[in-house]
Amino acid sequence: MRLFAKNKSSINGQAICPGDKSISQRAIIIGALANQDISISGFLKGEDPLSTLSALNQIGADISMTNNIVNISKREMPFYNPSNSIDLGNSGTGMRLMMGLIAGTSLKAKLIGDESLMKRPMSRVSIPLNAMGANVSNLKGLPPIEIKPGVIRDNFAYDMPIASAQVKSSILLAGVASNKKVSIFEPSITRDHTEIMLKHFGLNIKSEKETDGKRITFIPGNKFLVEDYDVVGDFSSAAFLIIAGLVASDSKISIKNVGLNPTRSGLIDILIKMGGNIKIKNKNILSGELVGDIFVESSELKGVDIRGGVIANIIDEIPILSIAAACAEGTTRISDAHELRVKESDRLEAISGGLTKLKVKHELFEDGISIDGGIPENNKVIEIDSYGDHRIAMSFLISSLKVKNGVSVDNCKNIYTSYPNFVETMNDLGLPINEQ
Ligand code: S3P
């Protein structure tokens, strides 16, 4: 699918933030594990959460959707072996978290995914799961993943070599599913939705900050005290609108119901440091997560230096942050972001490819990129390949706000994995995007 975004100098209006992808996936996995009747509102009906939902039903969960509510029904039976391979589509979170759940429940299953997911590293999850007593195999560290019943041991402790919320969550879920104590150390702070949700549902989770990271421990013994769950909006999706509002001229937009968990919202501080006019109002707590409304006005941005622990916090926002950097005055340098190379695409290459087409001066490094602000005037439509990566596609569509003849982005179908209403929302705000 090829999308064309026209140039429009200004955008205005109000948008509702779509449900959080990470939280939607965790809500159905943890809800199914709790094995109680539970209804979930605000669930993201994107392809990633939906493939995780089918995966759970394949192992015996009873999850259905009426209108916009997801209903999880209490089962009579424990989870069972799926009769076919489980296809997680484009979802790294779906695959890695399901590995933990399936290994912890000692099932036999084969996990596959789309072309992009089949190239993503899985040893980061299978190594600790196997050390925990699971039986997970993956050839050369890549899917397909074959899981056979194992015996999960008690008191497993793991120091993660990389800061990954997916790895942390997978190990925690294996501990919860097998009812065994487990403790994980993360070298820098990653999103903590799994810990918040498990605690919210009554389980005993301890989170202790240490000098260079955080230790998270699950201690068995408590029963799930399940209640209905509300998924907050996805900060990573809101990021596209925030940056669109900042870089467009004479613009004023508001985004309602945005998840503001501090392990996710580091981009706000960075954008404010860049000179962004951003206000947060109506803060509230919904199902244990901080939420609020964001107000943005056009701003003159300037370049910044971004490195270290904050990278894990903004990892999914770096593609759109690169567009802010391209529109800013001066240089923005992003370092310590090697993880971008193993996302839905090699995002550093993909960002660099798009910036080259826009003729934005930049330098690519193994672990980051440095971008000299300024998109020169072009006399033709700029054609960009998203490499099938939803966040790259949305980022470069937004860049059309600064490209006279508009931007045409190929391979956009995966926008449906995380932000199914993106095109509609941008059109409502005044940036025309259509299929070509
Ligand atoms: C996610 C964690 C991050 C993020 C991904 C979603 C999650 O990945 O990039 O989009 O839901 O836990 P890593 O944990 O691999 O850094």
Side-chain angles (χ1 to χ4, degrees):
M1 180 170 81
R2 178 179 278 278
L3 292 174
F4 174 65
K6 268 198 188 154
N7 173 250
K8 197 72 198 288
S9 58
S10 134
I11 58 169
N12 279 287
Q14 188 186 90
I16 312 261
C17 189
D20 188 284
K21 178 156 80 75
S22 292
I23 298 178
S24 293
Q25 311 217 68
R26 285 157 170 81
I28 50 176
I29 295 175
I30 295 173
L33 243 181
N35 197 18
Q36 304 287 329
D37 290 330
I38 165 167
S39 81
I40 301 169
S41 58
F43 182 79
L44 174 73
K45 281 200 274 177
E47 285 172 2
D48 279 9
L50 292 174
S51 60
T52 300
L53 192 155
S54 326
L56 288 162
N57 282 344
Q58 267 183 272
I59 60 167
D62 183 354
I63 313 178
S64 59
M65 209 151 51
T66 17
N67 301 320
N68 285 323
I69 304 289
V70 170
N71 293 300
I72 303 182
S73 306
K74 186 167 166 52
R75 296 165 274 121
E76 298 302 320
M77 302 262 294
F79 288 130
Y80 49 71
N81 296 333
S83 37
N84 297 308
S85 299
I86 295 179
D87 187 349
L88 276 313
N90 193 244
S91 181
T93 304
M95 182 170 279
R96 292 179 177 139
L97 270 54
M98 287 302 293
M99 284 168 75
L101 173 70
I102 291 172
T105 0
S106 293
L107 300 180
K108 178 175 185 300
K110 180 174 177 181
L111 273 52
I112 56 169
D114 71 2
E115 205 189 322
S116 149
L117 187 53
M118 295 301 276
K119 289 190 207 134
R120 296 187 64 189
M122 293 297 152
S123 308
R124 53 180 63 199
V125 182
S126 58
I127 290 171
L129 287 177
N130 286 339
M132 218 173 159
N135 187 348
V136 182
S137 52
N138 42 222
L139 212 60
K140 295 191 187 142
L142 302 175
I145 308 289
E146 305 265 3
I147 307 178
K148 295 196 183 117
V151 182
I152 303 296
R153 61 184 175 85
D154 207 8
N155 271 317
F156 177 68
Y158 188 62
D159 272 21
M160 290 198 295
I162 41 167
S164 162
Q166 293 177 349
V167 175
K168 169 178 69 177
S169 302
S170 186
I171 302 170
L172 270 174
L173 288 171
V176 174
S178 59
N179 212 25
K180 298 282 162 54
K181 181 173 174 186
V182 62
S183 148
I184 304 133
F185 176 76
E186 58 182 8
S188 58
I189 312 276
T190 70
R191 63 189 71 191
D192 59 359
H193 305 305
T194 307
E195 300 93 294
I196 291 182
M197 199 179 294
L198 291 170
K199 263 188 224 165
H200 182 72
F201 284 159
L203 300 196
N204 189 353
I205 303 283
K206 263 211 259 154
S207 301
E208 297 152 295
K209 284 223 171 97
E210 294 183 6
T211 339
D212 349 298
K214 196 160 118 189
R215 179 161 300 283
I216 301 103
T217 308
F218 162 66
I219 304 148
N222 291 13
K223 284 213 162 62
F224 276 104
L225 300 171
V226 165
E227 37 180 87
D228 293 347
Y229 190 89
D230 283 306
V231 177
V232 299
D234 198 321
F235 182 82
S236 301
S237 297
F240 296 103
L241 312 186
I242 297 172
I243 288 176
L246 291 176
V247 303
S249 324
D250 298 325
S251 300
K252 232 184 190 176
I253 65 163
S254 60
I255 314 145
K256 297 248 159 212
N257 186 41
V258 186
L260 293 169
N261 179 318
T263 63
R264 290 286 297 282
S265 56
L267 179 74
I268 298 269
D269 300 329
I270 292 172
L271 291 172
I272 289 177
K273 202 166 156 204
M274 290 175 83
N277 187 342
I278 304 174
K279 303 256 166 347
I280 297 176
K281 294 185 190 160
N282 307 325
K283 280 193 186 170
N284 197 359
I285 301 281
L286 203 57
S287 298
E289 291 281 353
L290 184 63
V291 64
D293 301 334
I294 299 188
F295 296 79
V296 181
E297 287 184 31
S298 317
S299 307
E300 298 293 324
L301 301 178
K302 43 187 191 321
V304 276
D305 195 21
I306 307 160
R307 60 182 69 239
V310 72
I311 294 292
N313 188 306
I314 60 161
I315 195 75
D316 290 342
E317 289 71 72
I318 293 176
I320 186 63
L321 178 58
S322 308
I323 303 300
C327 299
E329 194 195 308
T331 303
T332 296
R333 169 81 200 247
I334 299 167
S335 320
D336 302 321
H338 191 270
E339 272 296 296
L340 289 176
R341 297 218 174 256
V342 289
K343 294 292 178 188
E344 285 84 328
S345 67
D346 177 338
R347 284 191 174 153
L348 288 173
E349 279 297 338
I351 292 168
S352 168
L355 292 177
T356 303
K357 293 285 181 64
L358 290 175
K359 298 198 167 65
V360 172
K361 281 195 209 136
H362 65 280
E363 197 180 341
L364 192 58
F365 304 99
E366 198 35 44
D367 73 336
I369 191 162
S370 126
I371 301 168
D372 289 341
I375 303 182
E377 214 172 286
N378 283 286
N379 289 322
K380 53 179 180 29
V381 172
I382 306 293
E383 295 196 356
I384 287 174
D385 189 350
S386 74
Y387 299 89
D389 185 323
H390 54 136
R391 299 200 196 279
I392 298 294
M394 290 186 275
S395 300
F396 283 99
L397 287 166
I398 299 280
S399 74
S400 70
L401 288 162
K402 292 289 179 203
V403 178
K404 198 170 84 191
N405 293 293
V407 176
S408 164
V409 183
D410 202 7
N411 253 322
C412 287
K413 129 178 156 350
N414 280 337
I415 291 177
Y416 288 108
T417 60
S418 66
Y419 200 160
N421 294 330
F422 173 74
V423 169
E424 202 183 317
T425 302
M426 291 319 299
N427 278 296
D428 287 349
L429 291 174
L431 178 65
I433 303 182
N434 340 309
E435 201 169 335
Q436 274 186 320

